[in-house]
Amino acid sequence: MEIPAKRILIADDEPDIVEIIQYNLAKEGYEIYTAKDGNEAIERAKQLNPDLIILDIMMPKKTGVEVCQYLRTQPLFQDTLIVFLTALSDETSHIKGLETGADDYVSKPISPKVLVSRVNALFRRINKEEGKTLKIGNIQIDPVKFVVIVDDSEVVLAKKEFELLYLLASKPGRVFLRNEILSQVWGTDVIVGDRTIDVHIRKVRQKLGLDCITTVKGVGYKFEL
Amino acid sequence: MEIPAKRILIADDEPDIVEIIQYNLAKEGYEIYTAKDGNEAIERAKQLNPDLIILDIMMPKKTGVEVCQYLRTQPLFQDTLIVFLTALSDETSHIKGLETGADDYVSKPISPKVLVSRVNALFRRINKEEGKTLKIGNIQIDPVKFVVIVDDSEVVLAKKEFELLYLLASKPGRVFLRNEILSQVWGTDVIVGDRTIDVHIRKVRQKLGLDCITTVKGVGYKFEL
DNA sequence: TTCCATGATTAACAATAAGTTTACACAAAA
DNA sequence: TTTTGTGTAAACTTATTGTTAATCATGGAA
């Protein structure tokens, strides 16, 4: 199973700091994106849907705390990891940070090693906890909440529809034979007609309003972007 | 359904520090236990099975890192939260701490506020739930007083109804299967008919006068907004 | 081009799950 | 003992979900 690289968005107005962080995290195999101020951070976050966002508290346009507060109101970023960068002395704001829904904070001056360890630890923790929510592009599929989020709006799927989507999306790009789909979603002992899958595929496509399920004629279906 | 207070074990050889931490965390409603060195920490951890362990890195007998390493080999402590206390300058060891499987670290000198926030944040993150009143939007659910408050007015629920609501509300958004609900609220050994849950759900909905329990057909129920 | 195979589409229907109401047993309170 | 409140069951209704079958579109092979 391919595991796509985790994406990290760094937002800080000091280019030097950004560069140091970027360099060190990239070395660990993360995909790094950057932003220079609060507004850009929000914009890029929506664009990229990163797995983790590192926010400097003191930034032009919007402070890190404001960015965090805003993002947390969006369903898409409910579970996104957020880490604050804060001046060591600035105790108040980092408390506010944690209250706001940040997952961690790191004090300046930043030690690259510390930051990397902290980031790794966060991802490790997340993997243990949920490990199940699928994120592909602007789509999130959460089997715990039984919810699909497309571009910030929730889509309600019926049980079979959800299971079908979840199966396909669990290995994006891979083609699932009709047989496979049947036995995975319907089980081996139930016998259903040929058109049943088609109909469900159709409903999913319709509800998502996205062309993300591709037909491979004579073979099966696959989930793609 | 009783929710026991979270138990925290503090291990540090400096009595002053232990006392400060103990005082501040106890004030938050946690149950605090203490140990003076590495060996005692392990011993008491096994005895108490705490929810969170705060380990000073520099301790007699065994260092915090060693204690952590040992505990992580035990299945019982696989998911126990572990936080290190470390001297600010001591960067190496706290990196080692995170690598060892700690969930967080706090630098000395310790600010009580910071520590408390951090501990709260950890528990929130893990969602082991604070044994406290649940507040979701304009609803408050107090398992101690056995009272539900909706928009400033008290709603009286029967025992099973309350337990059911509390379970669902403890993880808003998450879907609980009928099975789960049965075993959590009714227990595994009681066998009740299929419609029993429905009836109770109905009563809760009715009494709350709010549409906050969503049905996911074929799957279960969830608490939302 | 024509034909055939494979899906897509749609509406109708069947199966399933949940909502509702009523009734009843049982325990605690009056 | 009577009353009241709580929890469960049963019978019935309603809504949603899943399946089928009939028909239409499309692309590739002959």
Side-chain angles (χ1 to χ4, degrees), chain B residues 172-218:
Chain B
R174 134 131 209 232
V175 177
F176 289 83
L177 313 180
R178 295 173 88 87
N179 278 334
E180 288 181 287
I181 296 177
L182 277 183
S183 65
Q184 295 280 327
V185 177
W186 274 265
T188 43
D189 33 39
V190 193
I191 301 158
V192 292
D194 249 14
R195 297 273 67 69
T196 301
I197 292 184
D198 307 27
V199 174
H200 282 86
I201 290 277
R202 170 143 203 294
K203 287 180 183 166
V204 173
R205 280 175 175 158
Q206 212 169 37
K207 288 191 180 175
L208 291 190
L210 268 171
D211 194 18
C212 58
I213 298 177
T214 313
T215 304
V216 184
K217 270 220 169 194

Side-chain angles (χ1 to χ4, degrees), chain B:
Chain B
M1 200 169 57
E2 278 289 319
I3 295 191
K6 294 297 167 198
R7 301 202 286 199
I8 300 179
L9 173 61
I10 306 170
D12 196 325
D13 56 323
E14 296 167 67
D16 291 353
I17 293 194
V18 171
E19 200 184 324
I20 293 175
I21 300 178
Q22 177 162 25
Y23 170 75
N24 282 283
L25 287 175
K27 218 170 49 182
E28 288 285 303
Y30 296 107
E31 250 174 57
I32 311 296
Y33 304 88
T34 61
K36 292 185 299 294
D37 59 57
N39 286 337
E40 198 183 329
I42 290 179
E43 195 184 309
R44 301 223 70 192
K46 286 183 177 172
Q47 238 171 61
L48 300 161
N49 186 31
D51 301 288
L52 182 150
I53 303 175
I54 299 176
L55 293 171
D56 186 25
I57 296 223
M58 296 308 266
M59 276 189 299
K61 302 273 172 65
K62 276 196 174 64
T63 70
V65 174
E66 288 168 326
V67 172
C68 176
Q69 264 162 349
Y70 171 76
L71 290 177
R72 285 300 191 215
T73 65
Q74 308 293 104
L76 190 59
F77 300 105
Q78 215 64 55
D79 297 321
T80 307
L81 293 170
I82 295 182
V83 173
F84 279 122
L85 300 182
T86 141
L88 183 56
S89 57
D90 190 5
E91 183 181 297
T92 329
S93 62
H94 103 239
I95 290 176
K96 197 179 289 173
L98 286 167
E99 302 301 343
T100 308
D103 295 285
D104 203 352
Y105 84 100
V106 176
S107 306
K108 292 181 183 182
I110 292 164
S111 141
K113 272 195 199 171
V114 171
L115 183 69
V116 168
S117 294
R118 211 75 92 77
V119 166
N120 284 335
L122 269 181
F123 277 120
R124 215 179 307 133
R125 176 95 219 141
I126 289 303
N127 239 344
K128 274 189 176 176
E129 279 327 308
E130 317 172 33
K132 282 187 175 180
T133 312
L134 296 178
K135 291 184 190 179
I136 300 113
N138 50 354
I139 304 176
Q140 268 187 50
I141 308 172
D142 186 335
V144 179
K145 295 181 185 166
F146 210 82
V147 149
V148 179
I149 296 171
V150 182
D151 286 332
D152 292 342
S153 57
E154 219 172 279
V155 176
V156 183
L157 295 184
K159 188 160 160 265
K160 281 275 189 299
E161 291 161 13
F162 188 91
E163 289 173 357
L164 178 57
L165 176 63
Y166 192 81
L167 175 66
L168 294 179
S170 68
K171 305 200 179 194
R174 134 131 209 232
V175 177
F176 289 83
L177 313 180
R178 295 173 88 87
N179 278 334
E180 288 181 287
I181 296 177
L182 277 183
S183 65
Q184 295 280 327
V185 177
W186 274 265
T188 43
D189 33 39
V190 193
I191 301 158
V192 292
D194 249 14
R195 297 273 67 69
T196 301
I197 292 184
D198 307 27
V199 174
H200 282 86
I201 290 277
R202 170 143 203 294
K203 287 180 183 166
V204 173
R205 280 175 175 158
Q206 212 169 37
K207 288 191 180 175
L208 291 190
L210 268 171
D211 194 18
C212 58
I213 298 177
T214 313
T215 304
V216 184
K217 270 220 169 194
V219 186
Y221 295 90
K222 66 179 166 180
F223 184 97
E224 256 182 340
L225 196 86

Side-chain angles (χ1 to χ4, degrees), chain A residues 161-213:
Chain A
E161 291 161 15
F162 189 91
E163 288 172 358
L164 178 58
L165 175 62
Y166 191 79
L167 175 67
L168 294 179
S170 67
K171 307 198 180 206
R174 134 136 208 230
V175 179
F176 288 83
L177 313 180
R178 295 173 89 87
N179 276 334
E180 286 182 288
I181 297 177
L182 277 183
S183 64
Q184 294 280 326
V185 177
W186 274 264
T188 43
D189 32 40
V190 194
I191 301 156
V192 292
D194 248 15
R195 297 273 68 71
T196 300
I197 293 184
D198 307 28
V199 174
H200 280 91
I201 290 277
R202 169 138 208 296
K203 285 183 182 164
V204 173
R205 281 175 174 158
Q206 209 170 40
K207 287 193 180 174
L208 292 190
L210 267 171
D211 194 18
C212 57
I213 298 177

